[in-house]
């Protein structure tokens, strides 16, 4: 039924690709989707702990990191979180709202993937080839492009690069999108792992190892940003939403601060207790607010020499010092867990050389970039998928 000639070839069969494929096909375009893995949408299936945090109730340009922060506005405005929620509802997919407006499916990420595939099928114009690894894209005079793959050559008028970033190679992470961009003269911002746990090699690593499995609500901050969410101690360092979020704003060699008690004004709390419970020890007071094992480690790190002194016998100055360190405990990670576990790749194809309206390359007619391959990364909370949906929709109207 199909020859090797298509209107549109989409490289990769992840979130942005499948979205674009059905929307372009709805416009009458004949679309071929190429995926190197033997299955499509692997990241969708693994996302959100298997429940896919598919979007967020509160999507703002500030939720995205890019060297060109205004780039996202046009696409996000034309295909919003409510458009995607509408699609999810049309398909009868049940979902729930969790903290911070995050929306997750109730019955599993496979429903989101099935929805996209059903939309592709409905058009009758989308062909999906799995185990088809893209090797090279070559422009053909006035006729679009030739795509060389592990299973042969294919031609199309438009080529859409939707191959994602480098994160989690076992789920398809690859650098081919960056190579193609460079080949056509695009600048690619240096990439690094984002939304990724921190690792430590100093004395603090022993602390996190001993506390492994414990979680507290904390604020992690540096000069660039601050996030108050769960902080999880691991055998290798720090994870949990607050760490993943801050990792997007952290570089090797930098330190950051942890506020272990963001909801308590500790100086006032200590002063009140000094009068009302003069004989109490600090660790006893703090175990009302933090797990005991965490308090004992913090005691070792911060007030070991005063551990057994009643609060009434600690000077106000000493209490202020302790409070200050509990509110702003400085740590210096040695690194992150890297692309192996990172949810996203920071950096990527420079967006000043791509149209924010159509996602088309300003350097090569008919070549488009969508999703994570671009220099756009979202915060944790469904923003990366929303970018995949919105950027795909933008390009789908023009490919
Ligand atoms: C474990 C995990 C959990 C996540 N959870 C969430 C979440 O809950 N919410 C959220 O918003 N975001 C989440 N993300 C991020 C989100 O999955 C990505 O941002 C999103 O999938 C990017 O979409 P994309 O279409 O650009 O790329 P992808 O979905 O990564 O798709 C790219 C596709 O291209 C294929 N490909 C690569 N190279 C080639 C080649 N040479 N030839 C052919 N095909 C190729 C890959 O195999 C892959 O299928 C998560 C990421 C991970 C790793």
């Amino acid at each position: 039924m199909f020859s090797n000639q298509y209107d549109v070839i989409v490289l990769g069969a992840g979130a942005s690709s499948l979205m674009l494929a059905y929307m372009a096909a709805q416009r009458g375009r004949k679309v071929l989707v190429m995926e190197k893995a033997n299955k499509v949408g692997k990241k969708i299936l693994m996302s959100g702990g298997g429940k896919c945090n598919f979007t967020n109730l509160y999507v703002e340009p500030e939720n995205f990191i890019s060297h060109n922060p205004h780039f996202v506005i046009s696409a996000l405005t034309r295909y919003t979180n409510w458009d995607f929620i509408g699609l999810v509802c049309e398909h009868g997919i049940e979902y729930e709202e969790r903290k911070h407006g995050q929306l997750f499916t109730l019955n599993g990420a496979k429903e989101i993937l099935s929805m996209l595939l059903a939309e592709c099928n409905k058009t009758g114009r989308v062909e999906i080839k799995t185990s088809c690894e893209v090797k090279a894209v070559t422009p053909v005079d006035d006729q679009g492009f030739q795509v060389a793959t592990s299973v042969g050559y294919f031609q199309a008028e438009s080529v859409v690069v939707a191959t994602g970033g480098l994160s989690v190679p076992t789920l398809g992470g690859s650098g081919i999108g960056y190579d193609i961009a460079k080949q056509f003269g695009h600048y690619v911002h240096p990439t690094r792992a984002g939304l990724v746990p921190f690792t430590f090699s100093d004395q603090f690593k022993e602390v996190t190892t001993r506390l492994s499995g414990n979680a507290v609500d904390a604020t992690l901050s540096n000069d660039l940003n601050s996030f108050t969410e769960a902080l999880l101690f691991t055998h290798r360092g720090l994870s949990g939403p607050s760490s993943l979020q801050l990792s997007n704003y952290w570089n090797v060699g930098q330190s950051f601060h942890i506020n272990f008690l963001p909801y308590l004004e500790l100086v006032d709390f200590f002063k009140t207790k000094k009068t009302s419970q003069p004989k109490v020890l600090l660790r006893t007071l703090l175990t009302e607010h933090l797990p005991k094992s965490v308090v004992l480690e913090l005691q070792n790190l911060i007030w070991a020499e005063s551990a057994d002194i009643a609060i009434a016998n600690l000077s106000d100055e000493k209490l202020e010092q302790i409070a200050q360190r509990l509110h702003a405990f400085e740590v210096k990670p040695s690194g992150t867990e890297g692309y192996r576990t990172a949810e996203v790749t920071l950096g990527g194809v420079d967006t000043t050389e791509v149209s924010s309206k159509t996602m088309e390359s300003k350097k090569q007619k008919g070549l488009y970039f969508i999703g994570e391959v671009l220099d756009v990364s979202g915060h944790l909370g469904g923003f990366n998928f929303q970018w995949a949906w919105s950027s795909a929709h933008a390009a789908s109207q023009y490919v």
Side-chain angles (χ1 to χ4, degrees):
M1 191 166 55
F2 289 98
S3 73
N4 279 1
Q5 179 69 45
Y6 297 81
D7 296 325
V8 184
I9 290 178
V10 195
L11 315 183
S16 62
S17 157
L18 296 174
M19 186 80 184
L20 173 132
Y22 94 75
M23 289 186 154
Q26 282 176 340
R27 287 179 43 238
R29 306 293 274 160
K30 183 177 160 190
V31 183
L32 173 63
V33 176
M34 298 172 161
E35 170 57 52
K36 70 171 176 170
N38 59 354
K39 282 194 215 144
V40 301
K42 280 192 181 181
K43 268 190 199 168
I44 298 177
L45 292 175
M46 296 306 290
S47 66
K51 290 289 169 79
C52 187
N53 178 194
F54 57 84
T55 191
N56 195 289
L57 287 180
Y58 314 106
V59 177
E60 300 292 341
E62 293 70 40
N63 297 120
F64 298 87
I65 301 160
S66 171
H67 289 86
N68 178 17
H70 296 299
F71 181 77
V72 295
I73 296 172
S74 171
L76 289 175
T77 312
R78 283 175 293 139
Y79 191 87
T80 68
N81 46 350
W82 297 108
D83 291 315
F84 195 77
I85 293 166
L87 182 66
V88 164
C89 291
E90 260 175 52
H91 283 257
I93 296 174
E94 292 184 290
Y95 64 90
E96 63 173 349
E97 180 190 343
R98 296 197 196 159
K99 273 189 199 165
H100 309 290
Q102 302 173 55
L103 300 188
F104 287 78
T105 60
L106 276 178
N107 301 314
K110 62 182 183 315
E111 291 193 343
I112 297 291
L113 180 57
S114 304
M115 174 186 82
L116 296 171
L117 292 173
E119 288 293 339
C120 286
N121 271 336
K122 236 192 313 188
T123 66
R125 289 197 186 86
V126 178
E127 188 187 353
I128 299 175
K129 272 193 194 303
T130 50
S131 304
C132 173
E133 183 167 2
V134 175
K135 303 282 190 191
V137 177
T138 320
V140 181
D141 300 338
D142 294 336
Q143 290 155 42
F145 303 87
Q146 183 181 68
V147 180
T149 75
S150 54
V151 296
Y153 292 89
F154 301 85
Q155 287 86 35
E157 206 179 296
S158 303
V159 163
V160 184
V161 182
T163 45
L166 294 165
S167 46
V168 194
T170 51
L171 297 178
S174 97
I176 180 108
Y178 308 126
D179 297 341
I180 295 169
K182 285 179 195 161
Q183 175 200 334
F184 286 96
H186 281 266
Y187 177 68
V188 176
H189 288 280
T191 56
R192 66 188 166 87
L195 297 180
V196 63
F198 291 112
T199 55
F200 290 82
S201 52
D202 58 8
Q203 178 207 6
F204 194 63
K205 177 168 184 236
E206 291 157 31
V207 174
T208 68
T209 305
R210 283 193 295 270
L211 289 178
S212 175
N214 278 283
V216 297
D217 274 339
T219 301
L220 268 56
S221 49
N222 62 12
D223 292 344
L224 296 176
N225 221 323
S226 168
F227 296 93
T228 303
E229 287 187 55
L231 171 70
L232 177 69
F233 295 93
T234 74
H235 280 102
R236 306 188 66 196
L238 295 175
S239 186
S242 57
S243 302
L244 302 189
Q245 297 277 36
L246 197 74
S247 72
N248 280 351
Y249 295 90
W250 178 86
N251 271 302
V252 178
Q254 296 174 345
S255 55
F256 63 83
H257 290 102
I258 305 174
N259 181 348
F260 284 102
L261 291 146
Y263 302 113
L264 199 62
E265 191 38 73
L266 270 178
V267 174
D268 294 346
F269 176 69
F270 285 158
K271 284 185 181 162
T272 311
K273 294 293 179 183
K274 207 171 174 177
T275 318
S276 62
Q277 290 176 259
K279 291 188 179 155
V280 78
L281 298 176
L282 290 193
R283 65 171 171 268
T284 312
L285 282 180
L286 291 172
T287 43
E288 289 169 23
H289 299 277
L290 289 169
K292 190 173 175 192
S293 48
V294 174
V295 172
L296 293 178
E297 291 293 345
L298 291 172
Q299 173 182 277
N300 258 344
L301 290 164
I302 301 175
W303 70 98
E305 74 296 342
S306 322
D308 296 314
I309 301 178
I311 191 165
N313 298 327
L314 291 169
S315 68
D316 285 353
E317 194 192 353
K318 182 74 190 166
L319 289 173
E320 275 164 28
Q321 273 171 13
I322 295 170
Q324 200 276 335
R325 287 203 67 201
L326 284 167
H327 277 319
F329 189 82
E330 187 172 351
V331 293
K332 191 170 181 181
S334 55
T336 68
E337 290 190 6
Y339 292 120
R340 191 179 58 82
T341 61
E343 278 198 17
V344 285
T345 302
L346 298 163
V349 179
D350 181 32
T351 55
T352 59
E353 298 168 342
V354 174
S355 159
S356 61
K357 187 175 170 205
T358 65
M359 303 291 142
E360 188 175 14
S361 160
K362 292 181 184 170
K363 295 188 172 274
Q364 176 68 45
K365 191 175 173 315
L367 183 68
Y368 297 77
F369 295 92
I370 58 172
E372 199 178 314
V373 72
L374 285 163
D375 171 35
V376 173
S377 311
H379 285 175
L380 191 75
F383 302 103
N384 285 296
F385 278 139
Q386 186 58 45
W387 174 244
W389 318 138
S390 295
S391 59
H393 167 266
S396 72
Q397 304 305 300
Y398 297 92
V399 288

